[in-house]
Amino acid sequence: MMRLLLLLLTTALINNVVLSQFLGLCPFLGVSKSVKTAAGMGGAVIFVITLSSALTSLLYNYVLVPLELKYMETIVFILVIAALVQLVEMALKKFSHGLYAALGVYLPLITTNCAVLGVALTNVQNEYDFLTSVVAGFGTALGFAIAIIIMAGLREKMKYNEVPNAFKGMPIVLVTAGLMAIAFSGFSGLQL
């Protein structure tokens, strides 16, 4: 149990998928304009990564390995992720149309979010069992949600700050993301 808790903390904070591995930057930069939409995207990513980690682990260990089709892992994983994103998109469209509209084009982009596929491939490379894959997936997605919500909060506050013309818009967002990455690198000193 302690090993799983350490894995959860490590994937969420120390090896944050956005701020230390630099995966999933497109939705991180694009959807982080308001805390509400960032939280919605974070929730959708948590659902997709956690469930895709579970499904890809089962498919890999109980279908691809026994049938000696390990070379098909990337294609199979992409198909699983695409199906899950479609499920999330349909659910949001039906139950939370405001959030669906706010996420816009970034919701289907979860399918191509390299963080989602990266987690599934990392779980296979590390030879994680089912439970460990799910915890690693959840921790990674939680780290993404934490990063995007913090960035959204900072961007909401930056709207009221005076910024030099050369830094207005995306340049100041990139500087802020860099400072966040430096701040999160402080977690690497934790002795877990």
Side-chain angles (χ1 to χ4, degrees):
M1 184 64 179
M2 188 60 147
R3 183 178 65 86
L4 293 176
L5 181 62
L6 291 176
L7 178 64
L8 179 71
L9 288 174
T10 300
T11 54
L13 299 176
I14 297 169
N15 294 326
N16 186 284
V17 70
V18 176
L19 300 173
S20 69
Q21 298 176 15
F22 308 112
L23 297 174
L25 289 175
C26 181
F28 174 72
L29 296 173
V31 181
S32 61
K33 292 178 183 156
S34 79
V35 173
K36 185 177 179 182
T37 57
M41 177 59 92
V45 169
I46 287 173
F47 177 79
V48 169
I49 289 181
T50 304
L51 200 54
S52 70
S53 294
L55 291 175
T56 55
S57 175
L58 291 173
L59 282 171
Y60 183 79
N61 291 320
Y62 297 108
V63 176
L64 298 178
V65 170
L67 296 175
E68 297 180 9
L69 296 172
K70 292 192 285 187
Y71 62 90
M72 297 284 292
E73 69 186 19
T74 304
I75 294 169
V76 171
F77 293 176
I78 289 172
L79 291 173
V80 168
I81 292 164
L84 287 173
V85 171
Q86 287 301 311
L87 181 70
V88 168
E89 190 172 1
M90 289 186 302
L92 283 178
K93 191 173 186 178
K94 182 170 179 133
F95 298 113
S96 181
H97 192 70
L99 181 58
Y100 173 79
L103 291 175
V105 70
Y106 294 101
L107 187 58
L109 283 177
I110 295 175
T111 303
T112 60
N113 185 343
C114 53
V116 182
L117 181 60
V119 171
L121 293 173
T122 301
N123 289 344
V124 167
Q125 289 171 351
N126 291 335
E127 298 179 358
Y128 287 158
D129 61 7
F130 175 76
L131 183 59
T132 308
S133 292
V134 172
V135 170
F138 177 74
T140 301
L142 183 64
F144 178 88
I146 290 168
I148 197 170
I149 290 169
I150 290 172
M151 175 59 93
L154 291 171
R155 285 181 77 173
E156 284 183 355
K157 297 290 183 194
M158 283 190 298
K159 281 193 277 189
Y160 304 109
N161 294 341
E162 290 185 30
V163 177
N165 286 336
F167 284 98
K168 285 187 178 177
M170 193 52 68
I172 194 68
V173 173
L174 292 173
V175 169
T176 304
L179 292 172
M180 284 178 62
I182 291 169
F184 266 69
S185 72
F187 288 122
S188 64
L190 289 175
Q191 297 294 346
L192 298 178

